[in-house]
Amino acid sequence: MAFDVSCFFWMVLFSAGCKVITSLDQMCIEKEANKTYNCENLGLSEIPDTLPNTTEFLEFSFNFLPTIHNRTFNRLMNLTFLDLTRCQINWIHEDTFQSHHQLNTLVLTGNPLIFMAETSLNGPKSLKHLFLIQTGISNLEFIPVHNLENLESLYLGSNHISSIKFPKDFPARNLKVLDFQNNAIHYLSREDMRSLEQATNLSLNFNGNNVKGIELGAFGSTVFQSLNFAGTPNLSVIVNGLQNSTTQSLWLGTFEDIDDEDISSAMLKGLCEMSVESLNLQKHRFSDFSSTTFQCFTQIQELDLSATHLEGLPSGIKGLNLLKKLVLSVNHFDQLCQINAANFPSLTHLYIRGNVKKLHLGVGCLEKLGNLQTLDLSHNDIEASDCCNLQLRNLSHLQTLNLSHNEPLGLQSQAFKECPRLELLDLAFTRLHINAPQSPFQNLHFLQVLNLTYCFLDTSNQHLLAGLPDLRHLNLKGNHFQDGTIMKTNLLQTLGSLEILILSSCGLLSIDQQAFHSLGKMSHVDLSHNSLTCDSIASVSHFKGIYLNLAANSINIIPRHLLPILSQQSTINFSHNPLDCTCSNIHFLTWYKENLHKLEGSEETTCANPPSVRGVKLSDVKLSCGITAIGIFFLIVFLLLFTILLFFAVKNLLRWKYRHI
């Protein structure tokens, strides 16, 4: 037991005792009472007795369980998720999970498996997800097939598998995801694929396998959700081998460390014999990029050409009337007009992020895209002194616009007049120069989400956010207010529909009690990483049932009269505040323990004062501030001495008066 000097002083004079109780259980972390526990990396060789029998979700990775059998987990019959990643498991014996009828997900990643009994997975009636990544498997016969009828996803990546031929009785009917990435599969035959004929809409991943041959027709009898052959050096082998196949998504991208040949138009002719809706060719190079490159893309609805070293797209491309989504990120365009947007009349989603060169918006480069709904131009070093009506001409159907992480943009009044249907506007980390007294957003009557993170705004302009009647989510993180104060009259007053407000890292020192009075629909307020004290809590007094983040502020003592305001909220975060853990804060500390179900970040909510308990979690501190026996003794002695002194003082006073009569 440790005592602070201040505690000792109060104990003597007012009989207050300070006591700190810390938790002795440093084992598994409870995430949800009686249900979810994290026991990762604790060096355990068995299931701790402290885990309740009602546990449903257990993370037990990085422990030591070389052998597991039917007694290892038999007490935890309610398990639905079990993660045993890298527990050095070698042997899984018969009926290991016999009593776990509700087990849904089993993760065995990174265990050097030597033996799995045929009945080792018996028991779970709804096992849907099985992870056998990096387990040393070289043959699919190793996997016990009993009781896998409901299996939906099987992950076998980073093993030594050379053939995907499953046992004849392998139940593939409900399989939706089959992952073979980073194995040693070089050839795919019809016989290999026959065991998967029962599956429909299967996502099949051969990423990182150097596939050198595919038997013609091997993929013709099954409809796939996605096929991933990323990192295959010779695309001709894949495209030709997939003739007569049907897949919603085909991933043919490569990686920077793969030495593959450049794509020619002839290589892609095999796409004419396939049914593909989404095609990914990222990080490839084209040897003869021209309009003929796209001649077999007529059925494509989504095309990803990220990091394909393009400096422009050819004009006159025909047959792409079905293309809805185009990704051209990380290329080498100088100007937006170089994509020749007229080639894609039906485009609804366009992404050009992280262009290698400084991207110039030009004038009307996208005006032929009258159906465009989503436009992402973030991370492109875009700079414009007058944005954005000329640049976004004729985009009247645009709903989402991302211009974040760019160079300074100048905004005039009604800067987005050409995009009146915008619902989401992201300008984060782009310095904005507002060149008009009126709001640049005032015509955006449908805008619901506005991200102005670190835009260096003039927050003293009370008209900055006018004309946004439907705004629900506003992020002003990193924008500073004059004198560090949000006054009663401020730029938020016109936002009557606002539900989520983020004001973190705004350098705030105080908030007027009436600052948020016009915001009647709030559900989420983030005031973290400021320098607010307890006085600012009164500004949220009229909110009820909100998420309130007060983390990383300057709150130390919270008076009793503010506790009802906290009690009426749904979730509160007080972490990383210099909280006082003495009797002067006893009312808050008592409230804190009674409302742990409301509190977020309790692991980081610790005492800062007195020094003897600095760093101790608030939930582990117990203060005894009542009158103790020792305190009563000192108080009686004090009163007795005071009475004696008073008696002699009165006696001497009377004696002096009588002498002078």
Side-chain angles (χ1 to χ4, degrees):
M1 183 183 300
F3 292 92
D4 185 76
V5 174
S6 61
C7 285
F8 183 74
F9 175 76
W10 287 106
M11 182 189 73
V12 172
L13 294 183
F14 297 102
S15 307
C18 293
K19 182 180 181 183
V20 178
I21 298 178
T22 58
S23 173
L24 298 177
D25 184 10
Q26 299 297 331
M27 297 293 284
C28 301
I29 298 174
E30 183 180 75
K31 292 185 174 181
E32 184 180 356
N34 298 319
K35 289 186 177 182
T36 303
Y37 293 87
N38 186 328
C39 303
E40 294 180 346
N41 200 26
L42 295 176
L44 301 174
S45 57
E46 60 182 11
I47 301 301
D49 294 334
T50 54
L51 282 182
N53 295 344
T54 55
T55 301
E56 298 179 8
F57 193 105
L58 178 60
E59 296 171 316
F60 202 78
S61 57
F62 296 94
N63 285 297
F64 184 67
L65 292 173
T67 300
I68 55 176
H69 42 72
N70 59 6
R71 296 186 302 278
T72 306
F73 306 102
N74 64 333
R75 186 171 59 82
L76 308 178
M77 298 177 63
N78 293 333
L79 281 176
T80 61
F81 178 96
L82 178 60
D83 186 352
L84 299 174
T85 297
R86 302 193 188 285
C87 285
Q88 303 180 49
I89 300 171
N90 299 131
W91 298 78
I92 303 179
H93 288 280
E94 292 83 358
D95 305 323
T96 295
F97 303 103
Q98 187 176 20
S99 58
H100 301 88
H101 303 302
Q102 302 176 52
L103 189 63
N104 176 281
T105 302
L106 177 61
V107 183
L108 295 169
T109 296
N111 288 289
L113 297 178
I114 297 174
F115 173 74
M116 287 185 73
E118 279 294 322
T119 60
S120 60
L121 299 179
N122 279 10
K125 296 180 180 179
S126 58
L127 186 63
K128 294 182 178 180
H129 311 290
L130 179 59
F131 292 78
L132 293 169
I133 301 167
Q134 288 186 331
T135 51
I137 295 175
S138 59
N139 193 319
L140 297 180
E141 297 280 351
F142 180 85
I143 304 171
V145 298
H146 293 287
N147 202 39
L148 297 182
E149 290 80 10
N150 296 308
L151 197 66
E152 294 181 2
S153 60
L154 177 58
Y155 296 86
L156 297 164
S158 301
N159 283 298
H160 310 293
I161 299 168
S162 58
S163 170
I164 69 166
K165 185 179 180 180
F166 281 95
K168 290 183 178 180
D169 53 349
F170 181 81
R173 181 169 52 88
N174 293 312
L175 207 57
K176 299 300 179 185
V177 177
L178 183 54
D179 191 334
F180 285 108
Q181 66 175 314
N182 298 322
N183 274 282
I185 300 167
H186 302 311
Y187 185 76
L188 297 167
S189 67
R190 285 188 177 186
E191 186 178 359
D192 291 340
M193 298 298 298
R194 191 167 291 124
S195 58
L196 300 176
E197 289 180 351
Q198 302 175 44
T200 57
N201 293 319
L202 178 65
S203 293
L204 192 53
N205 189 353
F206 293 109
N207 179 2
N209 288 275
N210 186 7
V211 178
K212 299 178 180 179
I214 299 176
E215 184 178 359
L216 196 61
F219 288 81
S221 58
T222 304
V223 176
F224 294 93
Q225 177 66 26
S226 69
L227 293 173
N228 189 337
F229 288 93
T232 302
N234 190 346
L235 279 191
S236 298
V237 170
I238 307 301
V239 176
N240 293 332
L242 294 180
Q243 288 187 28
N244 300 319
S245 63
T246 300
T247 179
Q248 195 276 329
S249 174
L250 178 60
W251 219 99
L252 298 178
T254 188
F255 306 106
E256 294 179 357
D257 58 347
I258 299 293
D259 185 18
D260 51 9
E261 57 183 303
D262 293 352
I263 296 178
S264 65
S265 299
M267 282 185 184
L268 300 175
K269 285 186 178 180
L271 293 172
C272 290
E273 307 300 324
M274 300 171 56
S275 176
V276 180
E277 293 183 9
S278 176
L279 177 63
N280 187 307
L281 294 170
Q282 71 176 33
K283 294 192 176 182
H284 279 290
R285 288 180 180 268
F286 292 88
S287 60
D288 57 345
F289 196 66
S290 65
S291 58
T292 58
T293 304
F294 301 90
Q295 62 183 343
C296 291
F297 287 35
T298 54
Q299 301 300 314
I300 301 294
Q301 297 183 29
E302 298 182 5
L303 178 61
D304 191 337
L305 296 174
S306 297
T308 48
H309 312 277
L310 298 177
E311 296 182 354
L313 295 180
S315 59
I317 300 175
K318 305 295 183 183
L320 295 183
N321 295 331
L322 296 180
L323 191 66
K324 303 290 185 183
K325 177 181 177 181
L326 178 61
V327 184
L328 296 170
S329 301
V330 200
N331 279 295
H332 298 255
F333 305 116
D334 287 313
Q335 193 185 64
L336 196 54
C337 289
Q338 291 174 329
I339 73 168
N340 281 300
N343 291 320
F344 321 110
S346 302
L347 207 63
T348 58
H349 294 71
L350 176 61
Y351 301 86
I352 306 177
R353 305 178 74 241
N355 196 63
V356 176
K357 299 180 179 180
K358 185 182 184 74
L359 185 65
H360 298 277
L361 291 178
V363 176
C365 295
L366 305 178
E367 62 183 345
K368 299 296 184 182
L369 303 180
N371 296 312
L372 198 64
Q373 298 176 11
T374 298
L375 176 60
D376 188 344
L377 296 173
S378 59
H379 297 270
N380 288 323
D381 293 331
I382 294 171
E383 186 174 2
S385 59
D386 186 3
C387 189
C388 298
N389 286 321
L390 291 176
Q391 297 86 345
L392 304 180
R393 183 190 298 162
N394 198 38
L395 299 185
S396 59
H397 289 85
L398 198 64
Q399 297 176 7
T400 299
L401 176 60
N402 189 346
L403 288 169
S404 64
H405 296 271
N406 281 300
E407 294 299 310
L409 296 178
L411 301 182
Q412 303 290 342
S413 179
Q414 296 191 35
F416 302 94
K417 188 176 181 180
E418 292 287 327
C419 314
R421 299 186 185 181
L422 275 180
E423 297 179 5
L424 185 153
L425 177 57
D426 190 348
L427 295 164
F429 296 95
T430 298
R431 184 185 288 267
L432 300 180
H433 298 304
I434 312 299
N435 302 321
Q438 299 300 317
S439 170
F441 316 111
Q442 61 183 330
N443 68 304
L444 301 179
H445 304 302
F446 299 99
L447 195 68
Q448 296 185 23
V449 179
L450 179 58
N451 189 350
L452 297 173
T453 300
Y454 286 101
C455 287
F456 301 94
L457 299 170
D458 177 12
T459 55
S460 64
N461 181 358
Q462 297 181 25
H463 304 290
L464 182 64
L465 301 175
L468 298 173
D470 205 29
L471 192 67
R472 313 288 177 84
H473 184 137
L474 175 62
N475 191 337
L476 289 173
K477 179 179 180 179
N479 293 284
H480 286 235
F481 288 75
Q482 188 173 4
D483 299 326
T485 301
I486 301 181
M487 306 298 291
K488 178 180 179 180
T489 304
N490 57 72
L491 76 171
L492 303 173
Q493 289 185 313
T494 61
L495 305 177
S497 297
L498 201 63
E499 298 174 3
I500 298 174
L501 176 61
I502 300 175
L503 291 168
S504 60
S505 303
C506 289
L508 294 175
L509 300 173
S510 64
I511 302 175
D512 188 273
Q513 292 188 19
Q514 301 295 318
F516 303 142
H517 193 69
S518 62
L519 307 179
K521 298 182 178 181
M522 296 299 299
S523 62
H524 181 117
V525 178
D526 187 347
L527 299 170
S528 62
H529 296 277
N530 286 294
S531 298
L532 298 171
T533 62
C534 63
D535 295 334
S536 296
I537 294 176
S539 65
V540 299
S541 60
H542 63 291
F543 295 147
K544 294 183 179 180
I546 70 167
Y547 169 89
L548 178 60
N549 190 349
L550 291 167
N553 275 284
S554 300
I555 300 170
N556 49 16
I557 294 177
I558 299 180
R560 188 174 189 175
H561 72 275
L562 294 176
L563 297 180
I565 299 175
L566 301 178
S567 296
Q568 65 191 21
Q569 313 311 336
S570 63
T571 306
I572 308 174
N573 191 330
F574 282 111
S575 62
H576 303 289
N577 274 287
L579 293 167
D580 190 286
C581 292
T582 64
C583 289
S584 57
N585 205 20
I586 185 62
H587 297 298
F588 170 69
L589 295 174
T590 302
W591 177 91
Y592 185 93
K593 292 181 181 181
E594 293 173 350
N595 291 272
L596 285 174
H597 61 284
K598 291 177 176 285
L599 297 164
E600 180 186 70
S602 56
E603 292 292 319
E604 292 78 35
T605 306
T606 58
C607 298
N609 184 53
S612 58
V613 293
R614 184 172 296 152
V616 177
K617 291 189 298 183
L618 256 66
S619 56
D620 291 339
V621 173
K622 183 177 181 180
L623 291 181
S624 179
C625 297
I627 298 177
T628 64
I630 297 176
I632 293 173
F633 172 77
F634 278 103
L635 183 61
I636 292 173
V637 171
F638 173 79
L639 292 175
L640 182 62
L641 291 174
F642 179 77
T643 303
I644 294 172
L645 289 173
L646 183 63
F647 173 78
F648 282 106
V650 172
K651 182 177 179 182
N652 289 331
L653 179 63
L654 293 174
R655 182 179 298 172
W656 181 84
K657 284 185 175 181
Y658 282 119
R659 286 178 180 176
H660 293 81
I661 292 177

